[in-house]
Amino acid sequence: MSENVLKGIAAAPGIAVGHAFIMDKQEIIVPARAIMEKEVPIEIARFEEAIIKTKEEIIEIQKKISSELQVEHAKIFDAHLFILEDTAIIDEVIKRIQAEKLSAEYIYFQVLKKYALIFSNIEDEYLKERGADVDDVGRRVLKNLMDETKMHDFDSLTKDLILIAHDFSPSDTASMFNKKIIAFATDIGGKTSHTAIMAKSLGVPAVVGLKKATLAIKNQDELIVDGSKGLVIINPGEETKRLYTDAKSRFLQIKERYQDIKDLPAQTKDGTKISIMANLEIPEELPAIAEAGAAGIGLYRTEYFYMNRIDLPSEEEQFNAYKRVLLESKNNPVTIRTLDLGGDKFLSSLEIPKDMYSYLGWRAIRFCLARPDIFKTQLRAILRASAFGNLRMMYPMITGNEELAQANAVLNEVKEALKRESVPFNENILVGAMIEVPAAAMTADLLAQEADFFSIGTNDLIQYTLAVDRVSEKTADLYEPGHPAIIRFIKLTVDAAKEANIPVSLCGEISGDPALVLVLIGLGLRELSMSSLSVLQIKKVVRSISISDVEALAREAMQLKTGIEVEELCQRKLKELVPDFQNIDTDYKG
Ligand code: PEP
Ligand code: MG
């Protein structure tokens, strides 16, 4: 067996050696379950009930969508009903349950896979796309046939495996926590896709955007995943394995390297304090955040709380979760972000076609304003939790003052209701706006008059400013954090915040980049929030620099013409200011 190397995009650092487990392209695991002869009629009845229930659901969604939105969207569901009630499919499932004595969900899944494959092999583009409809209908029926959380049943994996898939959704990755997964790799995805962000939270190496991983890798192949260089090596030879065993121990050493500064202050050589906080996706990360000595949580991405479940979280559940995060953060500040649904983050509990809440569509605050029922429940939970710690809140994807005022109007309604009910909360809770859309950065001076603080979300700001999809491996090279437009937008935002005397932080992935962080501090940022994995190494950088050095660097960067020049300047400066620096993301390769 010859060694084969696939090159993708490094998503989370580290090295794993193990065996491949290829997830079905549809990301659903439906294990075969044998049934007894006498259970056959029960299984058929369950199947028929699931079809009827799914039909009712589809008709319900269709009605809702045609009254709220355009009729074309509702038409998609005609095709879905057609597939759902196809007698050829239904008859085949029933016959196979009788003949093979296997569960309804397993047989249905097998039959649908066969049909989806037939569609995908058809030359005609229109018919090819019907394969996606078959997939959608299949999911709905399966959801009614089995507990949906079991459809992504990582618990059933029995040994340490490297998961390979065309793609994982952020909700899939969220449910991988503490499971027997030592690394993962995908065909598609970019460095700041939420799947990649979750990989860092999981603390397992990951490579995304490999293009053909699911074709090139076979189940049980021996693999090395190098999450730093973005490589997956299939069937590595003995020499490669030895080199990687060494590299792995170097990585673990670097990971431990800055432990000695964990309890020392994050301040520059000339005494300026920088607040280095962590981003939180799921509460299971709290121990790693405490372990890294982060000064608080600068971004709590609450949407993960809504994922991997078939219903919406109640106010009480949210309140308890937010309170737990606050209490475990001791007196450190926690910045909670209201639901940022859309883009690459979907909720299984909302029966909305994915293309309706695309990145430029019905996303984040727009979605919340359109669904005050969901928004108000979350706001009540956040406000109630605010009585238990140092909590601030912010809205994602604000584009201007009108939207901020609309969101605040809903917040005020919720505050009034809580007061009437004598429920305690912090009436002066700070309410911030994320600056992640060019319109917001451009008008930061106007927004600063209304927002209590800013948090710059560069992951989105870069994608919207440079018109580069953050989840696409095809445009990954165009995703340039150092682009002069980005540097200027950050400066505009920081200056506007200073002028209005409100705090400003940055919580995009670049705050964990040891080179680019120099220009961020040089531009005046004093609060940064990042993956807990980066906290200590950024502290190392902060403790090695003087503000005057990085201010000069920022002035120079503002004059440069390209993103590459800005990044090279920062890299050079990092070597000069922190000569013994070792980067957890890159330096273990030796
Ligand atoms: C951002 O856009 O930079 C951000 C921090 O939010 P998210 O990555 O969750 O979109
Ligand atoms: Mg964002």
Side-chain angles (χ1 to χ4, degrees):
M1 261 178 303
S2 60
E3 190 171 296
N4 183 6
V5 182
L6 305 179
K7 173 94 186 92
I9 297 165
I15 288 166
V17 184
H19 290 92
F21 184 90
I22 318 247
M23 303 282 296
D24 193 278
K25 213 172 177 176
Q26 291 161 314
E27 302 164 28
I28 300 176
I29 301 175
V30 184
R33 177 169 61 82
I35 55 169
M36 289 182 291
E37 178 73 51
K38 63 178 183 204
E39 286 176 302
V40 167
I42 303 172
E43 229 26 47
I44 293 174
R46 261 190 357 102
F47 172 59
E48 286 170 343
E49 273 164 32
I51 297 284
I52 293 168
K53 185 149 187 261
T54 309
K55 183 176 175 182
E56 286 164 3
E57 284 170 3
I58 295 178
I59 291 171
E60 192 51 34
I61 304 162
Q62 197 171 28
K63 267 198 227 142
K64 226 162 71 196
I65 288 188
S66 47
S67 58
E68 281 178 15
L69 300 149
Q70 309 99 327
V71 180
E72 308 96 80
H73 282 301
K75 281 199 186 134
I76 300 171
F77 294 100
D78 284 337
H80 286 196
L81 286 172
F82 197 67
I83 295 163
L84 178 75
E85 296 184 301
D86 187 305
T87 46
I89 296 180
I90 293 179
D91 288 350
E92 184 173 343
V93 172
I94 293 176
K95 280 199 189 105
R96 283 186 57 181
I97 295 175
Q98 287 164 335
E100 295 173 38
K101 313 245 174 344
L102 289 166
S103 68
E105 60 266 22
Y106 181 74
I107 298 285
Y108 183 66
F109 184 54
Q110 300 305 318
V111 172
L112 272 211
K113 270 208 300 198
K114 191 180 83 183
Y115 279 89
L117 192 71
I118 294 173
F119 277 115
S120 67
N121 286 335
I122 296 175
E123 287 301 318
D124 182 289
E125 269 313 304
Y126 175 80
L127 287 175
K128 218 182 196 118
E129 279 172 23
R130 301 290 63 81
D133 290 339
V134 173
D135 186 44
D136 264 16
V137 171
R139 277 164 196 272
R140 285 181 196 283
V141 175
L142 286 171
K143 199 177 85 185
N144 286 326
L145 268 173
M146 58 196 287
D147 176 356
E148 198 196 10
T149 52
K150 291 276 179 297
M151 285 162 47
H152 314 261
D153 191 1
F154 298 119
D155 280 332
S156 64
L157 300 178
T158 48
K159 57 178 181 173
D160 291 351
L161 292 167
I162 296 175
L163 290 192
I164 309 295
H166 181 65
D167 189 21
F168 291 111
S169 68
S171 70
D172 284 337
T173 42
S175 60
M176 288 179 194
F177 216 91
N178 288 338
K179 303 287 153 55
K180 293 182 167 54
I181 296 158
I182 56 169
F184 70 81
T186 61
D187 290 340
I188 63 170
K191 213 177 178 59
T192 62
S193 60
H194 285 93
T195 301
I197 289 171
M198 271 308 296
K200 282 194 190 166
S201 313
L202 288 167
V204 299
V207 181
V208 297
L210 284 155
K211 298 190 176 83
K212 290 184 180 154
T214 49
L215 287 180
I217 299 169
K218 291 192 296 303
N219 233 4
Q220 290 304 322
D221 270 352
E222 188 171 25
L223 300 179
I224 293 175
V225 173
D226 180 340
S228 167
K229 286 191 208 163
L231 300 179
V232 173
I233 303 165
I234 309 168
N235 299 322
E238 286 311 310
E239 179 58 10
T240 310
K241 276 201 270 185
R242 198 188 53 72
L243 287 173
Y244 268 98
T245 310
D246 292 351
K248 187 170 176 178
S249 46
R250 274 199 303 282
F251 170 76
L252 295 175
Q253 272 164 14
I254 297 179
K255 212 171 158 196
E256 295 303 308
R257 189 177 153 95
Y258 301 123
Q259 278 297 329
D260 56 331
I261 59 168
K262 184 184 141 191
D263 297 318
L264 299 180
Q267 67 182 38
T268 59
K269 287 201 292 194
D270 46 358
T272 298
K273 287 203 166 52
I274 308 290
S275 178
I276 304 178
M277 293 185 282
N279 294 348
L280 176 79
E281 283 69 47
I282 45 179
E284 283 87 341
E285 286 175 84
L286 284 165
I289 291 176
E291 187 54 31
I297 291 166
L299 166 65
Y300 177 6
R301 292 181 163 104
T302 54
E303 45 281 359
Y304 289 94
F305 194 60
Y306 291 67
M307 293 177 177
N308 289 321
R309 51 188 299 153
I310 50 177
D311 53 352
L312 286 165
S314 68
E315 175 187 326
E316 205 56 29
E317 273 179 277
Q318 293 188 62
F319 163 67
N320 286 324
Y322 304 157
K323 185 174 148 191
R324 173 183 160 201
V325 170
L326 265 175
L327 295 180
E328 288 196 26
S329 302
K330 311 275 176 353
N331 281 325
N332 283 333
V334 173
T335 304
I336 193 163
R337 176 175 73 187
T338 58
L339 182 60
D340 183 11
L341 170 70
D344 57 348
K345 290 178 291 193
F346 310 107
L347 301 194
S348 36
S349 51
L350 292 173
E351 307 277 7
I352 299 170
K354 287 181 182 177
D355 58 353
M356 279 175 51
Y357 43 24
S358 65
Y359 276 115
L360 293 174
W362 203 32
R363 188 193 157 185
I365 194 65
R366 301 169 179 180
F367 172 84
C368 284
L369 290 172
R371 288 294 303 263
D373 52 331
I374 297 176
F375 194 31
K376 281 182 183 169
T377 305
Q378 183 177 39
L379 292 175
R380 278 182 68 95
I382 293 174
L383 287 172
R384 285 175 56 198
S386 71
F388 295 87
N390 189 353
L391 184 67
R392 352 184 262 184
M393 56 172 280
M394 62 185 180
Y395 307 122
M397 212 190 166
I398 289 288
T399 49
N401 272 321
E402 211 172 288
E403 219 160 34
L404 181 59
Q406 281 171 20
N408 278 337
V410 182
L411 179 68
N412 285 336
E413 259 181 63
V414 174
K415 280 184 172 178
E416 288 308 317
L418 288 175
K419 272 193 231 165
R420 278 196 304 275
E421 296 162 35
S422 308
V423 176
F425 67 96
N426 174 9
E427 288 189 32
N428 300 317
I429 185 170
L430 296 182
V431 183
M434 283 199 73
I435 304 294
E436 47 184 357
V437 177
M442 210 50 218
T443 57
D445 57 329
L446 305 176
L447 275 168
Q449 294 168 32
E450 303 301 328
D452 293 330
F453 66 94
F454 284 157
S455 183
I456 307 175
T458 42
N459 302 338
D460 279 314
L461 188 61
I462 296 167
Q463 95 161 336
Y464 292 131
T465 305
L466 306 183
V468 172
D469 188 344
R470 66 190 265 192
V471 301
S472 168
E473 69 289 353
K474 296 194 186 73
T475 50
D477 291 345
L478 303 172
Y479 194 91
E480 273 189 285
H483 192 289
I486 304 303
I487 305 297
R488 281 158 202 238
F489 271 150
I490 295 173
K491 181 165 167 45
L492 266 181
T493 309
V494 173
D495 289 352
K498 275 200 185 141
E499 182 66 29
N501 208 13
I502 60 167
V504 53
S505 62
L506 192 146
C507 60
E509 289 298 288
I510 61 167
S511 58
D513 180 320
L516 284 171
V517 79
L518 300 175
V519 76
L520 300 181
I521 299 172
L523 288 169
L525 279 155
R526 299 292 178 262
E527 266 182 44
L528 301 163
S529 192
M530 60 200 70
S531 153
S532 60
L533 212 60
S534 303
V535 165
L536 277 175
Q537 65 172 13
I538 295 300
K539 191 190 253 189
K540 166 72 181 171
V541 173
V542 164
R543 290 179 55 81
S544 314
I545 60 172
S546 301
I547 289 293
S548 52
D549 292 331
V550 289
E551 280 179 350
L553 169 102
R555 279 194 297 276
E556 200 179 332
M558 285 291 291
Q559 304 305 318
L560 296 175
K561 295 193 188 79
T562 66
I564 291 175
E565 286 172 87
V566 172
E567 296 203 22
E568 282 173 357
L569 172 70
C570 291
Q571 290 292 354
R572 273 202 308 278
K573 203 71 188 172
L574 178 66
K575 281 215 174 76
E576 181 192 319
L577 296 175
V578 206
D580 63 336
F581 184 73
Q582 282 193 304
N583 188 341
I584 192 171
D585 288 322
T586 50
D587 285 337
Y588 64 82
K589 47 197 171 191

